[in-house]
Amino acid sequence: MTISPSPLPLDFLHQHYPSATEQQWNDWHWQIKHSITSLEQLQKIIHLSDKEIQPISRLPIRITPYYASLMAKDNASQAIRRCVVPTADELMVSPGESADPLSEKHDSPVPNIVHRYPDRVLFLVTGFCSTYCRYCTRSHAVAKDQCHTHTSGWQQGFEYIKAHPQIRDVLISGGDALTMSDARIEFLLSNLRQIPHVEIIRIGTKVPAVLPQRITQTLLDVLKSYHPLWMSLHFTHPDEITPEVAQACTQLANAGVPLGSQTVLLKGINDEVTTMKNLVHALLKIRVRPYYLYQCDPILGSTHFRTPVTKGLEIIKGLRGFTSGYAIPHYVIDAPNGGGKIPLLPEYYIGREDNQVILENYEGKIFTYADSV
Ligand SMILES: *Cc1c(COP(=O)(O)O)cnc(C)c1O
């Protein structure tokens, strides 16, 4: 099935890739091949601000033409643009920041496996990603070939999972696994499926948001032969939910893949209750269930992206009770030094008096509940 671009990307295609056809635009290989990776290319598409122009020669960039078509030409503070265009702020390193804030290397028993929780592992299967998010937790690993991109590099991972029967859930990440060929994805999934104790497989990916052309019928046919397969899709802002993205998610959902979303809370990008509400509502409409809202990890040069924790709590408070429970993600901090994801909730539990539990509802009204002793 081909995806018809909405008028906006087509105009963009004719303007910036005049010799390319609509069919090429809809081909994910073409999108990766023509991705923006240099200052020269970027300058032809948007008017760079002073703050943006300086660091780009030093910092790796990668933006698919599709995602670039969503960027505002003249507005450097537009959300989509801030997610992928580096600024001078990235060169400023603050205390507490680190290249590997989650100490994933420390929790890695064999290359490419992070085993932090008792019953599940993270399997980093490629270092390649189609689009570099400026706030990425694994920016230190992506594009720098820290992950084995050859199939032989996966063997130790398979062996480790096989040797640990307590692993019932394998979370595939990277890089982005959906940038691999259908054949490689099939090889990966079939090897994992041969391990009897692996109950569920999950793929964490940004591809449906930045490269929706990748969700082809042949990929869907591969994915649906390895159920139960779940996906966590990375979304940041309601402007990402275009007709192309809606179609990609609908096709994944129709292939029986339960879809969750992961969103990083980012200053000036999505740190308003209304923005977040628009995002979670748009996600539910395309059958993506908001799963996690992450406090931004303290990667090097991330100060300008990080909000106070009170902001995240305020957003959850502004959602709970005011909209569908299905729309509300878990707000978590992935604790530095390998503490794992720690959930944070506004204070609805006020305390107790004798056997009465004192609770505050979403409107700020106080209620008591007689607890059993
Ligand atoms: C996030 C994460 C998981 C999965 O956690 P869930 O809460 O089950 O989604 C597993 N391993 C690592 C290292 C993680 O960072």
Side-chain angles (χ1 to χ4, degrees):
M1 191 184 288
T2 56
I3 300 166
S4 300
S6 49
L8 183 72
L10 256 194
D11 288 347
F12 181 89
L13 170 67
H14 297 322
Q15 189 182 347
H16 296 290
Y17 303 89
S19 61
T21 63
E22 194 175 332
Q23 196 183 355
Q24 286 175 314
W25 176 266
N26 289 325
D27 174 355
W28 68 277
H29 294 103
W30 183 93
Q31 287 279 337
I32 287 185
K33 200 167 161 208
H34 293 83
S35 288
I36 292 132
T37 56
S38 74
L39 177 63
E40 292 69 37
Q41 292 169 309
L42 197 57
Q43 266 174 330
K44 286 182 194 154
I45 290 170
I46 53 175
H47 297 135
L48 292 170
S49 65
D50 291 345
K51 216 178 186 184
E52 289 169 321
I53 222 154
Q54 295 303 331
I56 290 171
S57 47
R58 275 189 278 169
L59 299 167
I61 58 170
R62 182 171 274 279
I63 309 168
T64 59
Y66 161 77
Y67 202 69
S69 77
L70 307 178
M71 292 194 298
K73 200 169 182 174
D74 294 302
N75 179 6
S77 60
Q78 183 221 18
I80 298 264
R81 184 159 154 174
R82 284 199 56 210
C83 288
V84 291
V85 178
T87 62
D89 294 330
E90 283 183 35
L91 305 172
M92 212 182 66
V93 174
S94 302
E97 293 181 349
S98 130
D100 178 18
L102 309 183
S103 301
E104 291 190 328
K105 283 211 176 89
H106 183 260
D107 281 336
S108 181
V110 296
N112 310 327
I113 292 276
V114 182
H115 195 175
R116 175 165 301 146
Y117 298 106
D119 67 342
R120 54 209 190 280
V121 290
L122 186 61
F123 191 4
L124 305 173
V125 298
T126 173
F128 185 78
C129 211
S130 68
T131 296
Y132 298 164
C133 300
R134 305 320 305 172
Y135 49 85
C136 177
T137 298
R138 291 196 199 95
S139 14
H140 66 283
V142 168
K144 298 191 185 95
D145 213 21
Q146 301 267 317
C147 284
H148 291 257
T149 47
H150 299 292
T151 311
S152 61
W154 294 348
Q155 215 49 52
Q156 282 188 77
F158 295 142
E159 296 304 327
Y160 182 84
I161 297 164
K162 253 181 233 165
H164 293 80
Q166 69 271 34
I167 299 170
R168 40 161 291 287
D169 177 357
V170 176
L171 174 47
I172 297 167
S173 188
D176 197 320
L178 291 191
T179 60
M180 304 189 305
S181 69
D182 293 346
R184 276 173 64 78
I185 293 172
E186 174 130 49
F187 178 83
L188 175 66
L189 295 177
S190 66
N191 272 273
L192 291 173
R193 265 287 157 254
Q194 280 162 28
I195 305 171
H197 53 265
V198 173
E199 296 172 4
I200 65 164
I201 301 173
R202 296 192 255 175
I203 299 178
T205 176
K206 177 90 189 170
V207 155
V210 295
L211 186 61
Q213 297 78 9
R214 175 68 187 99
I215 311 304
T216 59
Q217 193 54 52
T218 50
L219 175 66
L220 293 164
D221 289 342
V222 169
L223 297 177
K224 71 184 178 207
S225 9
Y226 296 97
H227 278 314
L229 175 73
W230 293 58
M231 271 194 196
S232 293
L233 313 183
H234 175 24
F235 284 105
T236 301
H237 192 274
D239 288 354
E240 291 179 327
I241 318 298
T242 63
E244 291 88 335
V245 168
Q247 186 176 345
C249 291
T250 298
Q251 287 175 316
L252 286 167
N254 287 347
V257 182
L259 305 173
S261 74
Q262 317 200 77
T263 298
V264 180
L265 181 60
L266 297 166
K267 194 194 272 177
I269 293 179
N270 59 17
D271 61 342
E272 300 272 351
V273 175
T274 46
T275 311
M276 204 57 85
K277 206 187 258 182
N278 289 340
L279 175 61
V280 294
H281 287 171
L283 289 171
L284 286 189
K285 285 202 281 184
I286 58 171
R287 291 189 278 166
V288 180
R289 157 77 153 108
Y291 180 40
Y292 279 131
L293 174 64
Y294 291 101
Q295 178 67 11
C296 184
D297 290 328
I299 60 157
L300 298 174
S302 60
T303 311
H304 59 298
F305 279 134
R306 286 185 277 122
T307 61
V309 171
T310 48
K311 188 46 101 170
L313 293 171
E314 180 193 313
I315 286 170
I316 297 301
K317 201 157 190 189
L319 295 175
R320 175 60 67 188
F322 295 97
T323 191
S324 324
Y326 271 125
I328 305 165
H330 302 283
Y331 175 43
V332 295
I333 299 185
D334 215 331
N337 302 313
K341 298 177 184 71
I342 299 178
L344 297 169
L345 263 185
E347 302 224 4
Y348 298 112
Y349 177 85
I350 304 300
R352 60 188 303 146
E353 266 172 30
D354 304 322
N355 68 336
Q356 298 290 315
V357 173
I358 303 164
L359 306 163
E360 186 180 317
N361 84 345
Y362 73 101
E363 301 162 303
K365 293 182 185 152
I366 302 296
F367 294 83
T368 58
Y369 172 85
D371 202 5
S372 52
V373 194

